[in-house]
Amino acid sequence: MSAILFVRITSGLDAQEFERRLLERRPRFRDVPGLLQKVYGRDSSNGDVCGIYFFESRRALDAFRETELARTIPTAYDAVEVRPEVYEVLYSLRPEQGPFAESGPPADTTV
């Protein structure tokens, strides 16, 4: 079963420094086994940022959480608060697109 890791971070860093650190670490995420995609976001109302990780399996997600890269997320971003949430993927709105694209004909798109 595919899995999603959603991590919300409150940081003491200003937005520019936070982004610099994100960009510095981003290449390392390309080498994470089983990580299909990662999306970065920012809440403009309070400056919190998030990473939304799409893994091919729960096993790949769990293995990532044990890595040095994952363990250093709080210190890399001077995190005041880190809130990780893990979800199993139930289904996709458009199963022919995105990180969990399924092969074969697209799902029925009628309303």
Side-chain angles (χ1 to χ4, degrees):
M1 167 112 358
S2 301
I4 298 170
L5 172 63
F6 178 88
V7 180
R8 185 176 183 112
I9 297 175
T10 302
S11 173
L13 298 174
D14 65 55
Q16 191 173 25
E17 177 60 15
F18 197 99
E19 187 166 341
R20 186 193 70 73
R21 292 183 189 193
L22 281 176
L23 293 173
E24 180 180 275
R25 289 171 57 92
R26 185 171 62 174
R28 296 177 62 196
F29 286 94
R30 291 189 177 120
D31 296 329
V32 173
L35 180 60
L36 303 173
Q37 181 62 279
K38 180 180 179 192
V39 176
Y40 301 82
R42 180 181 312 280
D43 183 335
S44 61
S45 69
N46 62 18
D48 284 0
V49 295
C50 72
I52 306 168
Y53 304 72
F54 299 90
F55 286 91
E56 66 186 13
S57 68
R58 178 60 190 255
R59 178 177 286 153
L61 186 157
D62 290 342
F64 166 71
R65 293 181 88 181
E66 298 299 319
T67 66
E68 179 268 342
L69 183 60
R71 287 191 311 269
T72 58
I73 288 171
T75 56
Y77 303 116
D78 290 347
V80 175
E81 182 180 10
V82 178
R83 295 186 310 270
E85 301 174 13
V86 174
Y87 301 93
E88 292 180 355
V89 174
L90 300 177
Y91 60 89
S92 298
L93 174 64
R94 294 183 177 92
E96 70 281 2
Q97 299 177 12
F100 302 119
E102 298 173 2
S103 58
D108 182 3
T109 57
T110 59
V111 177

